[in-house]
Amino acid sequence: MNTPPLSAEQEALFRLIEDTNEHVFVTGRAGTGKSTLLQYLAWNTSKQIAVCAPTGVAALNVEGQTIHSLFRLPIGLIGTTDEKQSDATRKILNAIETLVIDEISMVNADLMDAIDRSLRMARGRRNEPFGGVQIVMFGDPYQLAPVPPKGDELRYVQDHYRSFWFFDAHVWAGAPAAESDGLIDLGRHGTDLHIRELVDIHRQSDAGFKAMLNAVRHGVVTADIAGKLNEAGARVPPIASDDEPPIITLATRNDIVNGINRRHLEALKGREQTAVAEVNGDFGRGDAGYPADPQLKLKVGAQVMFLRNDRGSFPDPPRWVNGTIGRVTRIAGGTVRVDVDGDEFDVEPAVWEKYRYAYDPGSKSLTRDIVAEFTQFPLRLAWAVTIHKSQGKTYDRAIVDLGSGAFAPGQTYVALSRLTSLEGLYLTRPLRPSDIRVDLDVRRFMADVRREASTPRLSG
């Protein structure tokens, strides 16, 4: 697979990962190219690499495996007991040189420690963090949070951890700050962990809008910034027409999104057609594990969003990317024709492949086997989408509907940072101070590592 070239800061970070065995946490604001770097690493590293993520859909997006499946760990709270390992699991874990974890901010502290214990046990290196495996983590804790524990699980976490975030796992216990090599280096926070922040934003170009988004990200929005955001967003969205490019609503709740999409689809004239996905193999429990709707209902005129990048040949520019908005103009012959900014493309069903790592004794290396396939048009109705599902997408224009209020830290930042410019922002109501929420543990963690990185150190 050909991958686009890296920026200078991405290249420097790739070299740190590729040329050393250092543990690295790659973070950065929305639109700084974390996913691009991860994809490049996965396809260009010379190391035995395994890529995993905390959820099924996230694992599909990075063509990896879920953490629980790879390590054969139970769902739910994982205590301090070593989990039994089969010979096959031990062989896989022994073959890994670098473990890449995407969406690390959704990984709970106990799961992080279970990964550490599993690797130590499988590799027979009990006294070495992660059994000597290099850990590379991608994510932004300002955007996505882990699912908070409840009941007895919450009481256990409160008794054993400072918080349920991955960075408070026991394996990451105090260490000095790291040297800088051109990137913003937020120091080391534990078992020799380099925390590196990508800073070059590729999604937005306006410095003023970037500064506003950064203020929302850190929860330091002034009255002046709030006023500018509210003033820009107070405009009435244009009425949909052939002359107006599509606009999407980002809402907090599924029921709001489903209601908007259903009403718009029903209002269209013409026959509704349903594309039924073909599922081979085990994709997990229910529709939640599917990367697209198992039954996609469409009409000519429907506003849709692409769910994956065009798999064209680099260096030819992609015809569409994950998040591109278009309008259906024809449904026939096993294809859906979609108008994107005046250009029409015939879209065919795409195949999402679910992978599982295995050990090949002949080559003494990891293999990545396809264990399930999901075939469906890479489209979904897109008059509206939840803020959570907009993660990683880019929009020129969007209506942000926070309803009764943002209910999760980082939710408002995720919504606003999807936009390429302030001119594309429409708000259903003015932003309120209660909408700007930053998790206190994230604020404490990032403040700690920034302080460590800026503390002068004596050299020997």
Side-chain angles (χ1 to χ4, degrees):
M1 176 179 179
N2 292 317
T3 50
L6 300 179
S7 67
E9 67 169 358
Q10 289 171 328
E11 177 65 28
L13 193 40
F14 172 72
R15 293 266 52 103
L16 170 66
I17 297 168
E18 183 70 4
D19 299 341
T20 75
N21 199 41
E22 300 284 357
H23 305 307
V24 183
F25 169 35
V26 181
T27 188
R29 287 173 281 178
T32 51
K34 297 183 293 295
S35 297
T36 299
L37 176 59
L38 189 157
Q39 183 186 64
Y40 185 93
L41 172 66
W43 283 93
N44 293 278
T45 183
S46 60
K47 298 179 179 180
Q48 288 282 325
I49 191 173
V51 181
C52 60
T55 68
V57 172
L60 285 173
N61 288 338
V62 292
E63 299 183 337
Q65 191 171 345
T66 65
I67 296 170
H68 290 85
S69 172
L70 177 61
F71 285 87
R72 294 296 188 265
L73 293 170
I75 302 296
L77 182 72
I78 305 172
T80 57
T81 305
D82 289 340
E83 299 294 331
K84 292 182 179 179
Q85 293 177 332
S86 66
D87 288 342
T89 298
R90 281 195 295 270
K91 288 177 180 178
I92 292 169
L93 299 186
N94 264 286
I96 297 173
E97 294 177 334
T98 298
L99 177 72
V100 176
I101 308 175
D102 194 28
E103 301 291 14
I104 187 62
S105 64
M106 297 180 69
V107 174
N108 290 59
D110 62 295
L111 180 56
M112 190 83 249
D113 281 334
I115 293 171
D116 173 44
R117 284 196 312 275
S118 296
L119 288 168
R120 294 188 197 220
M121 183 170 66
R123 299 164 71 88
R125 299 162 76 171
R126 292 278 188 170
N127 295 323
E128 192 170 356
F130 301 104
V133 172
Q134 180 187 30
I135 305 297
V136 179
M137 303 172 289
F138 288 81
D140 181 9
Y142 286 106
Q143 295 186 57
L144 287 176
V147 177
K150 299 178 181 178
D152 288 341
E153 292 188 358
L154 175 59
R155 287 186 282 274
Y156 177 90
V157 169
Q158 290 172 334
D159 285 343
H160 291 82
Y161 290 98
R162 188 169 183 178
S163 79
F164 52 81
W165 286 85
F166 77 95
F167 47 73
D168 281 328
H170 298 310
V171 68
W172 309 123
E179 297 294 335
S180 175
D181 55 6
L183 296 162
I184 285 189
D185 188 339
L186 299 185
R188 301 186 186 202
H189 188 80
T191 303
D192 212 22
L193 174 63
H194 290 254
I195 304 170
R196 298 298 176 90
E197 184 173 34
L198 293 169
V199 295
D200 293 340
I201 297 176
H202 308 287
R203 182 173 294 149
Q204 296 92 19
S205 58
D206 178 71
F209 188 41
K210 289 180 183 180
M212 293 180 198
L213 293 177
N214 202 41
V216 175
R217 182 178 188 241
H218 291 96
V220 291
V221 175
T222 63
D224 180 58
I225 291 174
K228 290 178 179 178
L229 288 169
N230 285 329
E231 181 182 3
R235 295 164 296 127
V236 177
I239 298 174
S241 69
D242 292 337
D243 298 327
E244 284 289 344
I247 189 168
I248 190 170
T249 295
L250 309 182
T252 54
R253 302 197 330 252
N254 270 310
D255 59 337
I256 296 174
V257 166
N258 293 337
I260 292 173
N261 285 330
R262 183 175 59 254
R263 288 194 301 272
H264 278 279
L265 187 66
E266 290 173 350
L268 291 175
K269 297 179 180 179
R271 183 168 64 94
E272 180 180 288
Q273 301 188 54
T274 302
V276 179
E278 180 181 339
V279 183
N280 295 310
D282 179 18
F283 256 89
R285 302 174 182 174
D287 296 354
Y290 295 149
D293 292 336
Q295 295 191 4
L296 175 63
K297 299 181 183 300
L298 293 175
K299 289 182 181 180
V300 170
Q303 183 164 296
V304 292
M305 178 176 69
F306 286 86
L307 298 177
R308 60 191 297 172
N309 295 345
D310 174 30
R311 296 293 177 95
S313 300
F314 179 80
D316 293 336
R319 295 170 294 173
W320 60 78
V321 296
N322 187 5
T324 294
I325 305 296
R327 186 171 285 116
V328 175
T329 59
R330 181 173 179 266
I331 306 172
T335 64
V336 176
R337 184 168 296 171
V338 180
D339 180 287
V340 177
D341 295 332
D343 294 322
E344 294 195 359
F345 306 109
D346 286 327
V347 182
E348 297 179 342
V351 180
W352 283 265
E353 296 167 333
K354 184 176 181 180
Y355 294 96
R356 183 170 296 151
Y357 290 96
Y359 178 73
D360 181 357
S363 63
K364 297 183 178 179
S365 62
L366 284 178
T367 62
R368 200 176 51 148
D369 302 326
I370 297 172
V371 295
E373 292 182 334
F374 180 94
T375 305
Q376 178 60 290
F377 290 98
L379 303 167
R380 63 164 294 150
L381 294 178
W383 286 283
V385 67
T386 61
I387 293 172
H388 181 82
K389 287 185 178 178
S390 75
Q391 183 78 20
K393 309 293 193 300
T394 299
Y395 307 117
D396 291 330
R397 305 188 308 168
I399 302 167
V400 176
D401 181 0
L402 295 174
S404 58
F407 59 81
Q411 200 169 44
T412 301
Y413 172 64
V414 169
L416 298 179
S417 61
R418 301 308 97 200
L419 290 158
T420 57
S421 70
L422 187 60
E423 289 69 33
L425 173 64
Y426 299 87
L427 295 169
T428 59
R429 64 160 175 80
L431 294 174
R432 300 191 288 251
S434 58
D435 294 323
I436 312 300
R437 300 181 58 187
V438 179
D439 187 277
L440 294 179
D441 290 303
V442 172
R443 183 173 287 171
R444 177 256 306 168
F445 165 68
M446 297 302 283
D448 284 349
V449 294
R450 285 182 185 276
R451 187 162 46 248
E452 290 174 6
S454 63
T455 301
R457 283 160 284 134
L458 296 176
S459 57

